[in-house]
Amino acid sequence: MLLARRYGLLALVIVLAVIAVAPLPDFWITQLNYIGLYSLVCLGLVLLTGIAGLTSFGQAAFVGIGAYATAWVTLNTGLSPWLGLLAGLAITGVSALIVGGITLRMSGHYLPLATIAWGLSLYYLMSNLDALGKYDGLLGVPGLSLFGMEVGQGRGFFALTWFIVVLAALAVIRLLDSRPGRAMRALRTGTQMAEAMGVNTLRYKIVIFIIAALLASVSGWLYAHYQHSVNPSPFGLKMGIEYLFMTVVGGVGYVWGAITGALLTKLLEDQLQVLLPWLIGTSGSYEIIVFGMVLVIVLKYLPSGLWSLVESRLPRPPRSMDWADAAALPERRKPAAGELVLDVQSIRKEFGGLVAVNDISFKLHAGQILGLIGPNGAGKSTTFNLVTGLLRLTSGKVVFCGETISGQRSREIARRGISRTFQHVRMIPDMTVLENVALGAHLRGGKGVVSAMTGLNRQEERQLMREAQRQLERVGMGASLHEQAGNLAMGPQRLMEIARALCSDPALLLLDEPAAGLRHKEKQALADVLRQLRSEGVSILLVEHDMDLVMDVCDHLVVMEFGTHLMEGTPAEVQQSPAVRAAYLGTEH
């Protein structure tokens, strides 16, 4: 997919170069200028809505901030429009940080409603401030010049605008194929899993919100100097809805969907404004009705947008494996053999009047595989979630390597060296197996968004990919690196999830039914992996219904029944217990 995006970037550059020198009428150059302005806003919405799953109707407000900031600065101070750009970006960044910090804590329909309120508020603020010219706006905004050349109109503006669009598209492509990009791609469907891998999901949502706002602000800066004036009309809620419409129709999950949507919407709007009055015999904004019908049709038959048709037909060559000579990632110090790693002390979880886990206690030592077994509904997975911070304790305490971790967030617990899999596989289906596993190494990298967008993270990326490949080969999935994760059967998905957990270099590994869906030989290979991990000093807490695997690899077992502690001991002791046979393994014949 990455190579397809880069081929698309090359094709776009070639097309733009041809247009720049072709004898096109000024009308079409003007149209392409506006399409470029819209594309910048839509690129931000691809990140915000398509990648992070956050719906915003307020992007036009950020366009307005960029436009008004540069207009006011250049008209009232005489400073260069390029300083106006910096002023707009600064104001937009602070505004987005404040608005995002408040609204992104909301979920469901509250977030779109909050962005509508934000957009309306800013629109009426711009319309009523004397300093901004109220509804008349600001006139006489100077054009842009670069190295002494006027680029504020025509082909000069076309070249500048699309140069910025290409740079923005390249930056977004690089971002999505990076450590922070993988974390961002997990936000829409895998927030809980991402937090368990150490990702601060709220922080990344805010970062995406700010990036989308800054792209909109750049569009507003260009617009102000292209129009030589600004007024509130283009920055209202109607335009915010239109930006979202463009992105959804083009393909909200695709970089090139942003440009496709802007192109088709602008051309369709212009043609409908001429065609519809001729057909109906009266003038009016009837194109909005057509846009609504088009949106319904696209959502019904092409929910991923028009670009999904192109993407489904593009070849997806495997990622270039350029990390063979990359340095190995540093590994954490493992606790010494026999050292107490996990001490679970009388933990309890109540859901209303239901007691799911009732005062469970057990200890796990370094280099030990501890099995947590019991019939369905015994509370095993709930116990896992309490240990890893996905659920809050009602009472009790969890101590890891001498430090109390109960009450901490799951990402903070992951940072201390605890990694896990899930009872129901959690993954990002449209990412490759390699990318899914590399997400597990999130805490072992440090490069951020700026490094990713500028390509300065290359060395770290090679290290992360090398580690992801190593862990996949360890679980027997070395041949599936470039397979799309959603195409895997259940068994390989579970092995991929184990590899992802191992990628974090854990001191304690929690595996929730890892053998479910595996064939006999895959189970044997899994048992070998677990023994190897034990020999390397990794402690393992295992929930599993396959008793052959449990009895084969576990050193100690804890048996639960209806959320209570039934008994514990060695596998031989548990097998000989009449209470266990009656409750779980079957009555003695």
Side-chain angles (χ1 to χ4, degrees), residues 43 54 158 350 437 586:
L43 278 172
L54 306 170
F158 168 83
E350 298 176 2
V437 173

Side-chain angles (χ1 to χ4, degrees), residues 492-564:
Q493 284 182 3
R494 290 198 175 276
L495 292 175
M496 178 188 70
E497 198 176 37
I498 294 171
R500 185 183 64 207
L502 291 174
C503 222
S504 68
D505 186 31
L508 173 60
L509 180 62
L510 285 75
L511 301 177
D512 199 346
E513 299 188 27
L518 299 187
R519 295 187 293 268
H520 178 65
K521 287 187 177 180
E522 291 173 332
K523 290 179 183 179
Q524 289 179 326
L526 174 61
D528 292 338
V529 170
L530 297 182
R531 294 190 193 97
Q532 180 186 347
L533 291 171
R534 175 174 57 189
S535 69
E536 295 174 1
V538 178
S539 307
I540 300 172
L541 180 60
L542 175 69
V543 166
E544 185 51 66
H545 286 293
D546 189 312
M547 287 298 101
D548 290 335
L549 177 65
V550 168
M551 298 302 171
D552 183 25
V553 302
C554 289
D555 305 300
H556 197 78
L557 296 176
V558 174
V559 186
M560 295 179 65
E561 183 184 23
F562 301 118
T564 62

Side-chain angles (χ1 to χ4, degrees), residues 194-332:
E195 286 277 339
M197 295 298 109
V199 176
N200 187 332
T201 53
L202 176 61
R203 176 175 174 269
Y204 276 108
K205 287 178 181 179
I206 293 174
V207 167
I208 285 178
F209 193 78
I210 292 173
I211 293 172
L214 293 177
L215 287 171
S217 182
V218 173
S219 177
W221 172 72
L222 288 167
Y223 175 85
H225 293 289
Y226 185 58
Q227 291 287 110
H228 296 293
S229 65
V230 292
N231 65 75
S233 300
F235 314 126
L237 181 61
K238 174 182 175 293
M239 200 62 206
I241 295 173
E242 254 188 74
Y243 286 130
L244 193 59
F245 170 84
M246 295 176 196
T247 313
V248 171
V249 169
V252 73
Y254 304 98
V255 171
W256 303 122
I259 299 174
T260 302
L263 173 68
L264 294 179
T265 303
K266 179 60 179 172
L267 296 181
L268 184 62
E269 181 181 32
D270 288 339
Q271 295 304 312
L272 289 175
Q273 286 176 348
V274 175
L275 183 61
L276 289 178
W278 179 76
L279 289 174
I280 300 174
T282 182
S283 61
S285 300
Y286 294 106
E287 67 273 7
I288 297 175
I289 299 174
V290 177
F291 282 163
M293 296 171 60
V294 170
L295 182 60
V296 170
I297 293 171
V298 169
L299 290 176
K300 171 68 175 177
Y301 297 103
L302 283 173
S304 297
L306 296 174
W307 189 259
S308 62
L309 291 174
V310 180
E311 189 79 11
S312 64
R313 288 163 173 78
L314 286 175
R316 294 187 179 182
R319 173 191 293 269
S320 175
M321 297 173 62
D322 61 349
W323 52 78
D325 59 343
L329 290 171
E331 297 184 0
R332 74 173 76 243

Side-chain angles (χ1 to χ4, degrees), residues 68 120-137 232:
Y68 269 101
L120 288 173
S121 300
L122 196 65
Y123 173 76
Y124 287 113
L125 179 66
M126 291 184 292
S127 302
N128 289 280
L129 280 180
D130 289 327
L132 300 182
K134 293 189 173 182
Y135 284 96
D136 293 329

Side-chain angles (χ1 to χ4, degrees), residues 439-452:
L439 181 61
H442 181 81
L443 289 173
R444 301 177 74 182
K447 298 294 184 182
V449 170
V450 175
S451 295

Side-chain angles (χ1 to χ4, degrees), residues 36-47:
L37 297 179
Y38 297 159
S39 296
L40 284 172
V41 185
C42 294
L43 278 172
L45 282 171
V46 165
L47 284 175

